[in-house]
Amino acid sequence: MPFIELRDVSLRYDNGYLAVEGVNLSIEEGEFVALVGPSGCGKSTLLRVISGLRPPSAGQATVRGQPVGSTPVNIGMAFQNPTLMPWRTVLQNILLPLEVSPKHKQRYRQNPKPYVEAARELMASVGLSGFENAHVWELSGGMQQRASLCRALIHQPEILMLDEPFSALDAFTREELWQAMQVLYLNRRPTVILVTHDLREAVYLSDTIYTMSSRPGRIAHVRRVEFPRP
Ligand code: ADP
Ligand code: ADP
């Protein structure tokens, strides 16, 4: 059974706009998938469907065979904008999801130590050691994005959703972040869905690439391309 499955999924927004239509895809547990396609083709919309933010207007979206939203799934997210909170230190930002995670918040409140240790390990793996008590404004854009990747992983999510997290970075920093992402992925093997319009990025990071195109009739044609991981 695939871990995540979309069968003939369509999503019409409240204003009547049909953003995706007839999408089929299946994702295995631990697979690193990239969704590639032009702006507006419905990539973020599919992330919203899979995360349960938007129930499909037609078709079925399932995680472990259960309809999305019917059972809790731990999801981590990172976006183009790192959205760190300026009044918190870097470490405090990374620990933030634990304060709201149903699975972790009680244990975290009783004994934060192992979580702080885990955060330090994540920080070390992306080259952020020594910046625990730094403030957000002291960090470059690339370092902020490293911190946001750590924050997305601190509660050990089963699914990691990345919506163009590397797009706003300069080319050099972007490639450094790809390496950092590779390390984070190989350490934990979460199921990852990366939205990007950078095909090189998709090839570098993912096992499977789905290319989406918007066509007349707003059908998102999803095509699977597999790459052997080196
Ligand atoms: P992508 O992530 O590929 O750029 P999106 O999934 O964000 O595309 O959007 C797909 C289409 O749906 C776009 O044309 C966008 O303007 C439209 N759209 C996105 N969100 C909404 C919304 N909340 N209401 C109406 N239309 C939306
Ligand atoms: P992205 O650049 O990540 O694809 P968008 O700019 O498409 O994001 O969308 C940003 C936000 O605005 C989203 O919450 C989306 O749902 C909403 N949105 C996008 N297009 C529309 C639209 N045509 N009508 C209403 N809301 C929209």
Side-chain angles (χ1 to χ4, degrees):
M1 188 206 301
F3 182 52
I4 299 169
E5 191 166 36
L6 301 183
R7 254 179 289 154
D8 281 322
V9 163
S10 300
L11 190 120
R12 190 183 291 280
Y13 281 108
D14 301 339
N15 65 356
Y17 187 77
L18 188 58
V20 294
E21 186 180 16
V23 169
N24 290 286
L25 62 85
S26 64
I27 299 173
E28 299 301 324
E29 191 154 16
E31 193 175 0
F32 196 132
V33 160
L35 287 178
V36 186
S39 211
C41 73
K43 303 182 294 296
S44 307
T45 299
L46 284 189
L47 290 188
R48 287 174 204 135
V49 169
I50 294 168
S51 62
L53 282 171
R54 294 274 181 176
S57 320
Q60 279 178 303
T62 55
V63 175
R64 283 205 192 85
Q66 304 297 315
V68 163
S70 67
T71 54
V73 178
N74 239 334
I75 298 178
M77 296 199 189
F79 303 94
Q80 187 167 341
N81 179 342
T83 63
L84 301 173
M85 296 186 171
W87 56 88
R88 289 176 164 240
T89 65
V90 173
L91 181 65
Q92 287 168 345
N93 266 286
I94 292 170
L95 293 168
L96 181 70
L98 300 166
E99 294 168 20
V100 293
S101 159
K103 199 173 151 195
H104 295 279
K105 67 179 173 192
Q106 200 151 6
R107 256 185 299 156
Y108 174 63
R109 233 178 268 153
Q110 284 164 356
N111 183 17
K113 255 197 178 148
Y115 291 100
V116 171
E117 203 42 54
R120 286 183 192 280
E121 275 170 31
L122 280 171
M123 290 179 75
S125 69
V126 298
L128 277 181
S129 289
F131 289 91
E132 288 79 1
N133 298 318
H135 285 279
V136 173
W137 60 81
E138 299 173 85
L139 266 55
S140 67
M143 288 162 82
Q144 291 188 26
Q145 200 53 279
R146 287 168 204 258
S148 98
L149 292 173
C150 293
R151 180 183 57 185
L153 286 164
I154 189 66
H155 59 305
Q156 300 188 302
E158 302 166 82
I159 306 174
L160 176 62
M161 293 190 177
L162 305 173
D163 199 342
E164 308 217 11
F166 313 115
S167 304
L169 306 169
D170 65 82
F172 180 75
T173 308
R174 189 181 308 141
E175 298 206 6
E176 283 188 342
L177 268 276
W178 292 353
Q179 288 172 29
M181 187 62 238
Q182 192 86 278
V183 170
L184 290 173
Y185 171 70
L186 293 174
N187 281 346
R188 298 274 185 90
R189 297 271 175 172
T191 304
V192 187
I193 309 175
L194 166 71
V195 161
T196 178
H197 38 235
D198 184 342
L199 196 52
R200 265 185 71 224
E201 177 173 303
V203 170
Y204 185 92
L205 284 171
S206 67
D207 302 308
T208 309
I209 299 176
Y210 289 95
T211 56
M212 291 178 70
S213 61
S214 7
R215 297 270 173 85
R218 306 190 193 98
I219 296 166
H221 292 269
V222 178
R223 227 171 93 128
R224 187 184 169 98
V225 188
E226 266 186 85
F227 285 86
R229 187 170 280 281

